[in-house]
Amino acid sequence: MNRSLAEHAASRVRPDASWQAMMQAAIREVFQLMVGTDIQPADPPADSPSGGVSAMVGMAGAICGVLRLRCSEQTAVSIATKMLGGHEPGALSDTCDAIGEISNMVAGNFKAKIAGLCDACMLSVPTVVVGEDYDVYSLASPERVEVSMTYEDQPLWVGLEISS
Amino acid sequence: MKAIRVLIVDDSAVMRKIIERCLRQAGIELKEVIEAGNGVEGLAAVQQGPMDLILSDINMPAMDGLEFLQGLRGLDNAKGTPVVMITTEGSESRVVEALSAGARGYIRKPFTPDQVKERVSPLLGGGR
């Protein structure tokens, strides 16, 4: 039975203490399978997201929010190179494409791990922003799930902002 | 098994390359690889000539994978061509929707080359 997004929204799923570990697991699986790299939670975690490449995927239905992945351009190029089987991306657009796909898969893999979310939440097509000089302001008062990872000794940050 | 003509439909050029590489790693000989960035381009490619295999994402701009499946029904060139969905959308309802619309298989991203081989190989060379 297909339910509308409005019906799914009426039965919202709320984040709990397990979501951070689930997000870490989702990220690690995506990187193991698609990048061929085992990445670890950062110790200590980064204070705030940083880096010149940011990918965003919208989520709608039982949760309403945005997943953001942020890393340096150098990290993004490394990820794209591994995804392309060792061939460096020819253009910045290819790097952004790769990071967009990674964020898409992290969002999809994460929602598949959360009870009540897989069938009840849809993903947007990813958007990638290049540049560091920006701030993000949420109109609502979001709940957040944030994960700080280390990829080849460089920071990689993933955050899920959920509108209440 | 003869070399095949395959259509890969995904809005990510990087993902299309990954899928092509997985097919080769699965031992599938590729005579020609046609790429499309969305369902509209995919239908146009099939109208140009029949494919031996189609792999398609679901979430794409302009025309998504489910609409693409429905569009294939009206094309003579698509008759008998196996379509496998490769997508982040792994919910049961989406799987049922895709299979009901005519897909012969479903692979959830992220995936391994072995998973691609497992889903695709039986559909080729007499496995249809």
Side-chain angles (χ1 to χ4, degrees):
Chain A
M1 178 178 70
N2 274 333
R3 297 173 65 193
S4 67
L5 282 180
E7 287 173 295
H8 287 306
S11 53
R12 284 281 171 95
V13 174
R14 310 237 50 114
D16 63 36
S18 71
W19 281 33
Q20 187 173 40
M22 295 292 188
M23 181 65 78
Q24 286 177 352
I27 295 165
R28 294 190 69 192
E29 283 170 17
V30 169
F31 273 77
Q32 278 168 354
L33 292 176
M34 305 307 294
V35 185
T37 299
D38 184 19
I39 71 171
Q40 300 289 335
D43 184 19
D47 289 334
S48 60
S50 64
V53 178
S54 304
M56 286 167 278
V57 176
M59 302 175 83
I63 65 169
C64 183
V66 177
L67 181 138
R68 282 195 295 144
L69 182 152
R70 191 165 180 181
C71 64
S72 68
E73 193 170 323
Q74 178 187 4
T75 296
V77 169
S78 171
I79 291 168
T81 300
K82 290 188 178 185
M83 289 176 78
L84 290 167
H87 302 284
E88 278 203 15
L92 180 60
S93 57
D94 292 332
T95 298
C96 294
D97 179 344
I99 295 303
E101 270 303 293
I102 290 290
S103 67
N104 186 33
M105 287 187 281
V106 167
N109 204 25
F110 172 74
K111 82 175 177 102
K113 293 181 179 305
I114 304 296
L117 209 57
C118 188
D119 252 15
C121 179
M122 293 186 70
L123 305 179
S124 73
V125 174
T127 297
V128 180
V129 173
V130 177
E132 298 208 42
D133 191 15
Y134 73 91
D135 295 309
V136 175
Y137 296 93
S138 300
L139 297 180
S141 300
E143 294 175 83
R144 287 190 175 88
V145 177
E146 295 180 336
V147 171
S148 187
M149 308 293 286
T150 299
Y151 170 91
E152 295 183 338
D153 295 327
Q154 297 298 312
L156 184 139
W157 178 92
V158 177
L160 174 61
E161 219 171 71
I162 304 158
S163 304
S164 37
Chain B
M1 192 185 300
K2 67 180 176 94
I4 65 166
R5 197 161 181 262
V6 61
L7 170 64
I8 302 173
V9 189
D10 196 305
D11 56 330
S12 165
V14 168
M15 187 52 64
R16 296 195 299 265
K17 290 296 177 205
I18 291 173
I19 292 169
E20 179 183 345
R21 194 169 75 238
C22 280
L23 290 171
R24 295 187 193 279
Q25 286 176 337
I28 295 167
E29 201 175 335
L30 305 179
K31 180 168 70 176
E32 188 178 4
V33 178
I34 299 97
E35 297 184 31
N38 55 57
V40 174
E41 293 178 13
L43 290 178
V46 175
Q47 281 174 328
Q48 293 297 312
M51 309 289 170
D52 297 301
L53 174 69
I54 298 173
L55 295 154
S56 177
D57 193 2
I58 289 185
N59 285 347
M60 296 181 287
M63 179 187 285
D64 71 21
L66 297 177
E67 292 171 310
F68 169 61
L69 276 173
Q70 285 158 6
L72 286 175
R73 286 180 180 172
L75 298 182
D76 287 339
N77 276 348
K79 284 184 168 45
T81 303
V83 182
V84 176
M85 312 309 288
I86 299 188
T87 175
T88 52
E89 289 288 355
S91 65
E92 187 179 338
S93 61
R94 289 294 241 179
V95 174
V96 169
E97 211 174 338
L99 296 176
S100 299
R104 299 276 299 277
Y106 203 100
I107 299 169
R108 193 170 74 79
K109 297 174 185 175
F111 54 85
T112 63
D114 281 344
Q115 287 171 327
V116 173
K117 181 177 183 177
E118 191 181 297
R119 286 285 182 273
V120 167
S121 294
L123 300 175
L124 303 173
R128 305 184 193 194

